């Protein structure tokens, strides 16, 4: 099994170019089930994207990847597709459930594996099913699969989500784009990735309007053949902003839209991280003193749960006790015992972590448990004494493109074994 070795205490400098967004690519690929022909550019070459491509190919889409260009061409001129999403693919990537909406809307039936458990929380899909039922779908769960049908197709509806969910919002938008009549979604996720999905569908010829947390979709459109560029990965950008604050002398984070990550930049500024915002880049300057702060994770534009673990590492350098309240997932502190093995002083009470700083971290052998927890261990390794050995790095490869290469370009000493 592959491991990463990180040698700590090296000042980083240079520039890091941010890849396309994993969490925008996945729903946009699922929505391509509504298309005849489409080109998608700026896709990140990460494991989860390849799993989605494998799933869509098994359904019957014709997909050609151009790895040199980070692009792919999708065509689908078949009348019938295989409307099954098998367990062996969905179990490795929960976003596989996003094919349920488009398959049901377009082919009036779908059999999609339930995603199953996840390290960071129970992560049910009841809100996805709630929305599709509102559009007239008949749904039953049997043998670990969602069996859905809509003999006469889906019909536009008024759907008020009891809780904000990124995935359920995305599934409902894609389904409603191919339903008869108008759908109004209330209390939606407005994550930038959801907005990128809306831009994609509107470019295809759909009619979707977003106002505050409400989305109006007029369904049934003739998809155009387009080329669409995926937005930048704001979580990857946030990860490298924090890496730069931790170990940077001067680092430029390129190919980003600073306004999209305004919340993160403001919090870093409050913590004493000097930065300069430009049109498509952010420069992080050397920060000598990090101020403590309190963070609560929340749906966008709140602080993203996907940066919680990385921010925790920065708080180990802060003066005093910082707090993080994790409000999105019930089990997202799996990185804490590993950081404590490196010498971090962290106490957990219910869904709040108390991080005491500044404290010196020392290199150790640690275990990755999920995508974002694993990258927080890399960041900890960058500032720890001696070397850190990170196991189970397949978690990292699910969502970070060329992580070692990008960090090595900034003079980090990091090696994959
Ligand atoms: C998306 O997951 C992201 N994944 C996650 O990123 C991210 O952490 C999460 O949104 C929150 O921002 C992708 O976009 C592929 P949710 P998703 O539905 O859609 C509960 C990463 O690291 N819920 O907004 O699964 C759920 O259990 C990943 O890249 C229900 O109760 O998140 C959670 O507590 C990890 N019923 C909360 O809502 C449902 O039907 C938010 O989940 C759906 C969700």
């Amino acid at each position: 099994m592959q491991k990463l070795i990180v040698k700590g205490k090296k000042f980083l400098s240079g520039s890091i170019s941010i890849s396309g967004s994993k969490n925008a690519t996945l729903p946009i690929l699922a929505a391509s089930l509504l298309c005849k022909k489409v080109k998608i550019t700026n896709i990140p070459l990460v494991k989860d994207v390849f799993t989605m491509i494998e799933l869509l190919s098994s359904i019957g889409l014709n997909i050609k990847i151009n790895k040199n260009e980070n692009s792919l061409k999708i065509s689908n001129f078949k009348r019938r597709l295989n409307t099954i999403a098998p367990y062996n693919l969905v179990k490795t990537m929960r976003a596989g459930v996003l094919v349920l909406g488009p398959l049901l809307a377009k082919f009036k039936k779908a059999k999609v594996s339930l995603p199953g458990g996840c390290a960071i929380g129970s992560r049910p899909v009841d809100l996805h099913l709630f929305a599709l039922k509102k559009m007239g779908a008949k749904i039953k769960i049997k043998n670990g699969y969602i069996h859905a049908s809509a003999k006469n197709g889906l019909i536009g509806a008024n759907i008020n989500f009891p809780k904000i969910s990124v995935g359920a919002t995305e599934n409902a938008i894609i389904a409603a784009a191919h339903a008869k009549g108008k759908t109004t979604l209330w209390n939606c996720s407005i994550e930038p990735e959801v907005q990128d999905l809306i831009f994609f569908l509107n470019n295809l010829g759909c009619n979707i309007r977003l106002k505050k947390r409400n989305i109006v979709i007029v369904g049934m459109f003739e998809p155009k053949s387009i080329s669409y560029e995926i937005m930048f990965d704001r979580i990857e950008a946030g990860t490298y902003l924090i890496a730069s604050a931790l170990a940077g002398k001067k680092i430029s984070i390129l190919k980003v839209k600073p306004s999209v990550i305004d919340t993160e930049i403001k919090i870093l500024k409050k913590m004493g991280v000097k930065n300069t915002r430009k049109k498509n880049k952010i420069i992080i300057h050397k920060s000598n003193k990090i101020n403590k702060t309190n963070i609560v994770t929340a749906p966008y534009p709140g602080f993203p749960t996907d940066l919680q673990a990385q921010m925790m590492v920065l708080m180990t350098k802060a003066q005093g006790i910082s707090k993080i309240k994790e409000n999105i997932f019930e089990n997202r502190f799996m990185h804490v015992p590993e950081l404590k093995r490196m010498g971090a002083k962290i106490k957990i009470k219910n869904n709040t972590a108390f991080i005491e700083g500044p404290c010196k971290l020392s290199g150790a052998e640690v275990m990755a448990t999920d995508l974002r927890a694993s990258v927080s261990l890399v960041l900890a390794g960058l500032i720890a004494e001696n070397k850190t050995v990170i196991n189970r790095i397949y978690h990292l490869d699910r969502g970070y493109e060329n992580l070692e290469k990008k960090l090595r370009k900034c003079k980090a000493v990091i090696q994959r074994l």
Side-chain angles (χ1 to χ4, degrees):
M1 187 130 20
Q2 294 191 335
K3 304 173 184 234
L4 263 188
I5 311 248
V6 185
K7 213 146 190 299
K9 295 277 175 205
K10 303 269 171 239
F11 274 119
L12 308 184
S13 57
S15 65
I16 297 179
S17 210
I18 299 301
S19 300
S21 162
K22 165 184 82 80
N23 290 350
T25 303
L26 297 175
I28 286 174
L29 286 184
S32 69
L33 281 162
L34 301 182
C35 307
K36 284 212 178 61
K37 204 168 163 220
V38 67
K39 180 175 181 183
I40 301 178
T41 62
N42 198 31
I43 57 157
L45 301 176
V46 294
K47 184 83 180 56
D48 277 7
V49 169
F50 288 114
T51 307
M52 183 59 99
I53 292 170
E54 197 184 338
L55 175 56
L56 294 172
S57 307
S58 77
I59 289 172
L61 292 191
N62 178 9
I63 303 182
K64 289 201 178 51
I65 312 175
N66 180 334
K67 287 191 179 168
N68 303 328
E69 265 186 28
N70 282 61
S71 72
L72 47 83
K73 285 186 181 153
I74 303 178
S75 56
N76 163 33
F77 297 107
K78 294 187 197 131
R79 279 172 57 75
R80 282 178 188 287
L81 287 184
N82 156 27
T83 54
I84 299 175
Y87 175 65
N88 68 318
L89 290 174
V90 178
K91 77 172 181 206
T92 62
M93 181 204 56
R94 313 176 55 76
V97 78
L98 293 174
V99 300
L100 178 61
L103 285 177
L104 187 56
K106 192 158 180 192
F107 302 100
K108 304 187 174 58
K109 65 178 176 147
K111 180 181 165 191
V112 173
S113 169
L114 274 171
C118 171
I120 63 177
S122 59
R123 303 184 74 178
V125 292
D126 56 315
L127 298 171
H128 299 238
L129 307 186
F130 160 79
L132 295 171
K133 281 181 192 162
K134 284 270 181 192
M135 289 188 234
K138 297 254 174 308
I139 294 183
K140 64 177 187 286
I141 309 288
K142 216 173 89 201
N143 309 339
Y145 277 79
I146 303 160
H147 297 256
S149 64
K151 253 200 343 284
N152 308 317
L154 293 177
I155 304 181
N158 234 345
I159 300 166
N160 193 343
F161 285 111
K163 184 177 177 178
I164 295 171
S165 156
V166 175
T169 302
E170 292 166 342
N171 231 332
I173 291 172
I174 306 171
H178 204 81
K180 291 188 203 89
K182 190 171 93 174
T183 296
T184 306
L185 305 175
W186 307 86
N187 196 30
C188 297
S189 149
I190 53 168
E191 257 63 8
E193 297 76 21
V194 171
Q195 299 186 38
D196 209 29
L197 171 66
I198 293 174
F199 295 142
F200 171 69
L201 288 166
N202 280 343
N203 270 273
L204 282 175
C206 194
N207 173 356
I208 307 177
R209 298 282 159 260
L210 166 66
K211 199 163 175 223
K212 294 197 177 135
R213 282 195 180 282
N214 310 323
I215 301 173
V216 178
I217 304 121
V218 179
M220 285 303 176
F221 67 104
E222 196 42 48
K224 294 182 211 150
S225 162
I226 61 164
S227 176
Y228 188 80
E229 181 179 343
I230 298 276
M231 65 171 281
F232 76 98
D233 194 311
R234 67 187 171 106
I235 304 297
E236 187 199 20
T239 302
Y240 289 122
L241 285 175
I242 294 170
S244 311
L246 281 165
K249 236 191 264 173
K250 183 179 177 188
I251 297 190
S252 300
I253 309 291
L254 310 175
K255 290 193 181 170
V256 295
K257 218 169 150 203
S259 58
V260 172
I261 45 179
D262 192 51
T263 303
E264 293 88 324
I265 299 171
K266 284 204 174 113
I267 288 176
L268 286 173
K269 196 158 186 214
K270 210 175 92 193
M271 293 177 83
V273 178
K274 299 189 194 73
N275 69 80
T276 313
R277 292 164 78 137
K278 301 272 185 192
K279 190 158 174 286
N280 295 316
K281 73 176 176 184
I282 303 162
I283 305 166
I284 298 288
H285 307 282
K286 190 165 178 306
S287 317
N288 297 320
K289 187 169 157 284
I290 302 289
N291 309 325
K292 66 180 179 169
T293 192
N294 299 335
I295 282 176
V296 176
T297 64
Y300 189 86
F303 186 84
T305 171
D306 294 347
L307 283 177
Q308 178 253 97
Q310 300 91 316
M311 186 51 97
M312 197 178 273
V313 180
L314 184 59
M315 288 170 166
T316 65
K317 275 190 84 169
Q319 311 284 325
I321 296 188
S322 304
K323 278 195 292 185
I324 295 187
K325 194 168 183 197
E326 173 55 58
N327 275 335
I328 306 289
F329 292 108
E330 66 273 22
N331 187 32
R332 200 164 204 182
F333 286 142
M334 302 282 278
H335 41 286
V336 170
E338 300 303 307
L339 291 175
K340 286 170 84 169
R341 293 188 69 254
M342 297 177 74
K345 297 188 188 114
I346 306 171
K347 289 201 180 80
I348 306 272
K349 197 157 176 262
N350 303 328
N351 61 340
T352 302
F354 300 83
I355 304 99
E356 189 179 337
C359 87
K360 279 201 168 35
L361 298 183
S362 58
E365 181 136 12
V366 289
M367 186 77 76
T369 47
D370 61 81
L371 171 60
R372 309 303 172 182
S374 47
V375 85
S376 78
L377 301 176
V378 174
L379 297 194
L382 290 175
I383 57 168
E385 297 286 342
N386 304 320
K387 69 180 182 186
T388 299
V389 181
I390 304 160
N391 292 285
R392 297 194 185 162
I393 51 169
Y394 52 82
H395 289 291
L396 261 179
D397 298 335
R398 292 190 51 185
Y400 285 93
E401 187 180 36
N402 297 331
L403 177 125
E404 299 107 274
K405 214 164 134 200
K406 290 187 182 187
L407 285 172
R408 263 203 297 269
K409 198 168 146 260
C410 292
K411 306 190 186 68
V413 181
I414 179 167
Q415 194 197 353
R416 179 179 290 243
L417 280 194

